[in-house]
Amino acid sequence: SIPGLDNAQQLWSMLDDMADNDPEAYAQYMQEQMKAMKDEAQANLPTPAFCARVAVQGSTGKIALYINACHHASMKPSVSPDDPVNLAVSTLRKGEHKGKTVHIVMLSQVMTTLPAPGET
């Protein structure tokens, strides 16, 4: 038997029974589950810090590359400016800005504040 399969089948059976016998309770349950999933997904998004637009030379000419720098609570911050910075980098994706195709990459956990001159 596959681990967890019995639990999944019990859950599906319960949901089928609820949908048949109490459609309003089923609809409310599903709305609550969807809201909880949306809230969890929203909580896991990185917090924007800043965006940089750079022009890079592509095979067909210059293209715009937007670098969205973000931070996230799950990323371990650097202890000092000399420590390496932990980064999570997204895959390069295409988007559109002002009617033109642009390329976008997300960086998570960047330094959003710099040490004052002379501080180490």
Side-chain angles (χ1 to χ4, degrees), residues 47-52 67-71 105-110 112:
T47 303
F50 61 90
C51 180
I67 302 170
N68 293 321
C70 306
H71 57 91
V105 68
M106 298 278 293
L107 298 178
S108 238
Q109 192 59 38
V110 297
T112 56

Side-chain angles (χ1 to χ4, degrees), residues 50-103:
F50 61 90
C51 180
R53 179 184 182 267
V54 294
V56 295
Q57 187 64 42
S59 59
T60 59
K62 285 188 178 179
I63 59 172
L65 173 65
Y66 286 83
I67 302 170
N68 293 321
C70 306
H71 57 91
H72 194 278
S74 69
M75 298 290 292
K76 181 181 172 189
S78 299
V79 177
S80 77
D82 295 328
D83 288 342
V85 176
N86 295 313
L87 288 178
V89 181
S90 73
T91 58
L92 186 66
R93 59 189 172 95
K94 287 185 179 181
E96 189 175 311
H97 180 69
K98 296 183 180 178
K100 294 185 178 180
T101 299
V102 297
H103 295 77

